[in-house]
Amino acid sequence: MKTPNRWVLLAVVVSVQALGTWLANAPIFLVAHLHLEHGLSLARAGLLASTSLMGGTLTLIGWGVLVDRIGERRSLASGLLLGAVAGLGSTASPATAWIAATWFLIGVGTASLNSASGRLIVGWFPSEQRGTAMGIRQTALPLGVGLAAFFEPVLADRYGLAVALLVPSVVALIAFAAVGLFVIDPPRPELEPSGAGGGTRNPYRNDRRLVRIHLASALLVVPQITVWTFIVVWLIDARGWSAPAAGGLAAATQLLGAAGRVGAGWWSDQVGSRLRSIRVIAVGATLTMLVLALTESTSAAVVLMVVATVVTVADNGLAFTSVAELGGPFWAGRAMGIQNTGQYLTAAAVPPAVGALIADRGYAVAFAIVAIFPLMAIAVVPLKEERPSRNQGEP
């Protein structure tokens, strides 16, 4: 089997995932255009844009199973192709039902990126480099969202909805071609008969570490989505900032958060423990949210809010890497699918719940209550780790 340059492959994976993420998030940044130019109510436009998220959330586990069965390269390619074709097809009719169906399929296709790209990193990088590599891979999400946020409103305003969907669909086809040219599946051991050995054994049986990581990650999503969702409105509403200034700081925190993910991954490689690193981050998230609550009415709160946006996202790559390593070569895909599904479902519940809490009790109380979730995660994170061996996909 041909062995690729790991770092070149990582660059390709980050690029492919960022471009696919652009397509997946394009509908979100077309809500204003749908409302102002097409006459849809904000509620209806928001519901229409959410169909891509729904398509992805409902199929994450299925893609994980498929990755385990047919490999990373074919899963990535088929998902990107489906997403691109659906995006191109969405320009064929202005009917709301047609757009909803095709945007749903965009979400279905681009959901393949999560498990497949994660498995590529775990499969090709040795354990002492995986934290750093996965942290770099995790930067693809804010990069892709940033591309969508930058281009989609402009394309829709200047050229219309069809062009705004055409461009990211063509970009996804370019990503599809890059997968075909550069991506090589990592080696895996020979498939053993069910029950004959460790390779095919269900890692969820008689071992609660994966379930505990899933639960801890869901708990840690609560402060992450809270600060992501409410930083702009808090700066404008409570701190008196202008909308451009608040948006600019929010964009800058995305870049800082991406850097934080890389730093957390590097740190876990140095200390030799992903799970202990996650527990430390959970402690940091708890303290940061508590101090933010206590200082919410002071100017220092702005600094704490920026710190919170970095600390609360730092665990994502570590948890994803741990899940893939514990899942092993024949279960990592579906384990990562379950991991993402739990995070997505939690993320969907946070904005309305925390928004209602802010409206009723104010920002300070809401931030204090949100701090309870990373506090619970501290106790949930398992500390017993299993270092992956070569038969888990390490070259």
Side-chain angles (χ1 to χ4, degrees), residues 16-327:
V16 165
Q17 182 142 21
L19 297 178
T21 300
W22 175 2
L23 174 60
N25 286 274
I28 295 173
F29 295 99
L30 294 173
V31 169
H33 182 79
L34 290 169
H35 174 58
L36 298 173
E37 302 297 330
H38 292 261
L40 273 67
S41 66
L42 277 176
R44 191 177 180 189
L47 180 61
L48 184 60
S50 72
T51 54
S52 176
L53 176 62
M54 287 188 285
T57 302
L58 293 174
T59 55
L60 282 165
I61 297 175
W63 276 114
V65 174
L66 194 63
V67 171
D68 289 332
R69 297 282 178 84
I70 69 173
E72 296 82 356
R73 184 171 180 265
R74 285 191 286 177
S75 297
L76 269 178
S78 56
L80 283 166
L81 184 60
L82 172 59
V85 170
L88 293 171
S90 68
T91 66
S93 171
T96 301
W98 175 259
I99 294 175
T102 52
W103 285 7
F104 182 88
L105 291 176
I106 286 175
V108 171
T110 54
S112 68
L113 297 166
N114 293 283
S115 296
S117 63
R119 280 194 55 122
L120 282 168
I121 302 306
V122 172
W124 281 118
F125 279 82
S127 60
E128 64 271 15
Q129 294 179 342
R130 281 182 193 153
T132 303
M134 192 68 84
I136 294 172
R137 175 257 187 194
Q138 291 289 99
T139 65
L141 175 61
L143 287 174
V145 173
L147 287 169
F150 182 80
F151 284 107
E152 290 307 301
V154 176
L155 289 170
D157 181 61
R158 293 185 180 179
Y159 305 107
L161 186 64
V163 172
L165 293 165
L166 177 66
V167 171
S169 301
V170 171
V171 164
L173 286 176
I174 295 172
F176 164 76
V179 169
L181 290 173
F182 298 107
V183 172
I184 300 172
D185 285 351
R188 283 196 281 179
E190 293 294 325
L191 184 63
E192 298 173 357
S194 180
T200 58
R201 185 180 296 126
N202 184 342
Y204 288 92
R205 291 178 181 171
N206 304 317
D207 188 344
R208 296 186 177 181
R209 284 175 298 173
L210 278 169
V211 174
R212 290 180 64 177
I213 295 171
H214 295 329
L215 178 57
S217 295
L219 291 170
L220 288 169
V221 160
V222 176
Q224 174 187 329
I225 299 302
T226 296
V227 296
W228 274 15
T229 302
F230 296 103
I231 180 173
V232 172
V233 68
W234 174 75
L235 287 169
I236 296 171
D237 182 35
R239 306 305 308 161
W241 285 38
S242 67
L249 182 63
T253 61
Q254 289 289 318
L255 297 177
L256 291 174
R261 296 183 190 204
V262 177
W266 176 86
W267 172 44
S268 75
D269 287 338
Q270 305 311 302
V271 301
S273 174
R274 319 234 188 270
L275 298 180
R276 284 182 171 82
S277 299
I278 295 173
R279 179 172 280 193
V280 171
I281 291 168
V283 172
T286 302
L287 293 175
T288 302
M289 294 304 298
L290 283 175
V291 176
L292 177 61
L294 292 172
T295 63
E296 188 271 329
S297 61
T298 71
S299 57
V302 175
V303 176
L304 266 297
M305 179 64 83
V306 172
V307 172
T309 62
V310 177
V311 173
T312 57
V313 302
D315 65 287
N316 286 358
L318 304 181
F320 214 58
T321 307
S322 294
V323 165
E325 290 176 340
L326 291 171

